[in-house]
Amino acid sequence: MAMTARPDSSFLSTLPGRYYYDPAIYELEQERIFSQMWICAGRADTIAEPGAYQVVTIGRESVIIVRGRDGELRAFFNVCRHRGARLCTEATGHLKGSIQCRYHAWTYGLDGRLIGATNVLAHEEFDRTAYGLLPVALEIWEGFIWLNLTDNPPPIADQLHPVIIERFGSYTPFARYGVGNLKRGKTITYQLRANWKLVLENFMECYHCAPMHPELCDLLPGFRSGKSYANGDAARLADGAEAFTVTGKASRPPLPGLLAEDLRRYYGEVLLPNMLLNLFDDHVVVHTVWPEGPESSRVTCDWLFDPEVMSRPDFDPLDAVEIFDLVNRQDWEVCELTQLSMASKAYRSGGVYVPAERHIRAFADFICERLA
Ligand code: FES
Ligand SMILES: [Fe+2]
């Protein structure tokens, strides 16, 4: 018999299946969520040298993130101010001091100023300052680039800090991890045939941990019961485990700012709309989730370590990478299995969150409110 979830029940309804494949809903999410909120665009040190750039797509917009000659990261709409041609067509690259449009060769400095426009720059009626590249708001938060497409974005702390404070009790315990000072030891990018919300919902619950992640549960046995930790509560390493590594052995010291009470703990948290944060005592793993269509996503996973430890000749991130890469692949498998059924008439009214997943309904409500 089908179970009907009522709001006062322990069993709440999921979103209907169409939320995970309908192009109209996807468009609306891009407009109301991704084009409104601060979006994580990955680690700032991936764009390291002056002239290095990365192009990202948010909603209908293509955005260039480029490091200037002065070392500053800036973001611009990837749109020539003359007749609108797209400027950078590669996902990443290196600019030699300027951005030149292929069409009529207007040229912009890495700071966005228009510095070249054949035959018109000296024209007395032409105000070159009015035709610089249009900026996109960019903030660096804990070493991550965040972008906001709106004209007057709120402070990024307004979006991120309440979530951190709710999770850790205050900002201080999170600050001890010094995420902004860590460096990338490894990055893996995954292509998924699954809607971005399935990735987030899967991350939010651990009801699937026992059947899907036996290796994870060996290291963090609390997950075997399906418990998702919240409000200052952290998962703890198994008695026999020294670290969250594929061997269970520690091959790095704890991160330098941590206290004794932080050791042997794991914190996972979602920073809406697209960052998944995983804190261990000797490294940090961060997923950046990019919707790429109603039924596809790209996830970039960065493994971050203390730069002092990384400078040691015997540094090897593999024991940390292997275990989370395994967990990632297990997760993506079930996200893709779920995606396959979203358009079935058997899922037209959605499914049910069991008590261990009940908190995900707040995410579903967030989506509904934004799209309303
Ligand atoms: S469209 Fe870019 S220079 Fe004309
Ligand atoms: Fe999982």
Side-chain angles (χ1 to χ4, degrees):
M1 193 179 80
M3 180 181 296
T4 305
R6 298 187 316 274
D8 59 350
S9 161
S10 303
F11 295 85
L12 300 181
S13 303
T14 72
L15 292 169
R18 66 190 163 87
Y19 277 75
Y20 302 92
Y21 68 84
D22 185 334
I25 289 179
Y26 180 80
E27 281 283 311
L28 215 50
E29 288 172 348
Q30 289 298 308
E31 182 190 320
R32 305 267 179 87
I33 297 173
F34 285 86
S35 302
Q36 297 287 324
M37 297 180 74
W38 287 98
I39 303 301
C40 179
R43 202 72 183 157
D45 66 2
T46 55
I47 308 173
E49 304 300 325
Y53 75 89
Q54 197 172 313
V55 173
V56 299
T57 303
I58 304 173
R60 292 172 185 269
E61 302 291 357
S62 175
V63 177
I64 307 169
I65 311 167
V66 60
R67 195 172 290 278
R69 290 169 184 273
D70 56 1
E72 283 296 304
L73 275 174
R74 296 181 181 84
F76 302 102
F77 288 95
N78 191 5
V79 177
C80 180
R81 294 298 310 285
H82 173 221
R83 296 262 308 286
R86 180 159 292 184
L87 296 164
C88 295
T89 52
E90 302 293 329
T92 60
H94 200 279
L95 294 156
K96 291 200 185 75
S98 62
I99 304 170
Q100 189 169 60
C101 179
R102 284 167 60 81
Y103 200 170
H104 312 88
W106 278 29
T107 306
Y108 305 88
L110 300 181
D111 58 2
R113 280 180 308 128
L114 180 65
I115 55 175
T118 313
N119 298 332
V120 295
L121 208 58
H123 195 290
E124 60 187 23
E125 287 176 33
F126 187 71
D127 176 9
R128 72 158 87 176
T129 62
Y131 293 100
L133 294 180
L134 289 184
V136 171
L138 180 151
E139 291 284 350
I140 306 296
W141 179 83
E142 296 286 359
F144 290 91
I145 300 166
W146 290 76
L147 302 175
N148 188 300
L149 292 182
T150 64
D151 292 335
N152 292 301
I156 190 166
D158 288 3
Q159 180 177 314
L160 301 182
H161 290 199
V163 184
I164 296 284
I165 290 164
E166 187 179 343
R167 181 71 181 87
F168 293 89
S170 73
Y171 200 83
T172 311
F174 170 70
R176 290 199 289 267
Y177 286 83
V179 176
N181 302 324
L182 305 182
K183 294 275 177 266
R184 278 180 310 127
K186 179 75 177 177
T187 298
I188 299 180
T189 300
Y190 306 88
Q191 293 293 146
L192 274 69
R193 286 160 298 178
N195 181 279
W196 69 281
K197 297 189 295 302
L198 291 178
V199 179
L200 266 69
E201 290 184 301
N202 174 72
F203 185 83
M204 288 174 184
E205 52 95 355
C206 217
Y207 185 44
H208 72 277
C209 288
M212 281 309 300
H213 300 310
E215 301 83 359
L216 170 77
C217 290
D218 285 346
L219 290 167
L220 295 167
F223 282 148
R224 210 167 265 135
S225 66
K227 179 174 165 53
S228 289
Y229 296 81
N231 302 332
D233 201 8
R236 287 152 200 253
L237 277 180
D239 286 343
E242 296 172 1
F244 190 77
T245 58
V246 74
T247 57
K249 299 278 175 226
S251 54
R252 286 166 288 279
L255 297 173
L258 296 186
L259 303 178
E261 69 202 62
D262 303 320
L263 304 183
R264 306 175 59 76
R265 301 279 190 277
Y266 162 73
Y267 290 96
E269 187 55 49
V270 178
L271 293 180
L272 290 174
N274 74 327
M275 179 196 262
L276 315 178
L277 195 55
N278 305 274
L279 305 177
F280 300 99
D281 66 12
D282 66 335
H283 68 287
V284 168
V285 181
V286 180
H287 302 81
T288 308
V289 182
W290 292 97
E292 287 204 324
E295 300 186 73
S296 56
S297 313
R298 176 166 44 91
V299 180
T300 301
C301 189
D302 291 312
W303 281 260
L304 309 177
F305 300 89
D306 175 17
E308 192 279 314
V309 170
M310 288 177 73
S311 68
R312 297 179 186 177
D314 62 344
F315 171 73
D316 183 352
L318 204 63
D319 57 353
V321 173
E322 261 185 48
I323 180 68
F324 221 121
D325 178 49
L326 174 70
V327 171
N328 282 340
R329 290 174 196 279
Q330 291 163 338
D331 280 329
W332 310 155
E333 181 194 344
V334 281
C335 289
E336 291 188 337
L337 275 182
T338 307
Q339 184 67 47
L340 290 173
S341 304
M342 290 298 98
S344 165
K345 68 180 185 181
Y347 209 72
R348 196 179 284 156
S349 306
V352 62
Y353 298 120
V354 304
E357 305 166 300
R358 202 172 183 277
H359 55 282
I360 309 176
R361 183 64 224 187
F363 173 63
D365 290 341
F366 159 80
I367 297 293
C368 293
E369 281 163 22
R370 284 273 170 166
L371 304 195

